[in-house]
Amino acid sequence: MTTDSGQGAADFASTPAQKKAAAGTIRDDLEPNTKKTAERADTATESARKGFDGWETAAGLKTVAGTWDRQVRSLMGRLALEKNALSGASGLFARNDIGVGNQLLAQSKLDRL
């Protein structure tokens, strides 16, 4: 990432607080609302399927419901991964900075020998 002058960026595009807030949005809003919406869709689809019992439409609704459930599980997994990544990003950057600093310190001590 660079600034307009091409000298390099002074900071990251988002702060630890912004990452924490984004993880909180996933945890507090997206995950529970996705789960509730999926449950409502499952209930409505099952009701419709029962209404079409004995028709090919019922079999089609069962297939669609299975596909929907797999997609919801995939989305919930992705949300969890993103939430965890956002939550751990600040610590990762800090540990990386400390590690690089330690390597440079060790190298500078070797240079003095």
Side-chain angles (χ1 to χ4, degrees):
M1 175 178 4
T2 61
T3 60
D4 291 340
S5 67
Q7 299 293 320
D11 56 16
F12 289 107
S14 62
T15 66
Q18 289 170 315
K19 288 178 182 64
K20 184 177 180 180
T25 297
I26 292 171
R27 181 190 64 242
D28 299 335
D29 295 328
L30 296 177
E31 287 178 324
N33 289 332
T34 299
K35 184 177 178 185
K36 284 181 210 170
T37 300
E39 289 169 355
R40 271 192 302 249
D42 285 345
T43 301
T45 303
E46 182 59 21
S47 176
R49 191 189 65 72
K50 286 179 182 178
F52 285 107
D53 195 33
W55 294 49
E56 288 297 316
T57 303
L61 286 170
K62 185 175 181 178
T63 300
V64 168
T67 301
W68 168 261
D69 289 340
R70 284 190 301 278
Q71 290 173 340
V72 168
R73 279 193 303 274
S74 177
L75 175 59
M76 293 298 289
R78 177 71 187 264
L79 288 170
L81 287 171
E82 295 297 336
K83 175 183 65 181
N84 293 335
L86 286 163
S87 297
S90 295
L92 179 64
F93 288 134
R95 287 188 300 277
N96 187 54
D97 286 350
I98 290 168
V100 169
N102 288 339
Q103 289 174 351
L104 291 172
L105 181 61
Q107 184 62 42
S108 69
K109 289 178 181 177
L110 289 174
D111 289 343
R112 288 186 232 146
L113 293 176

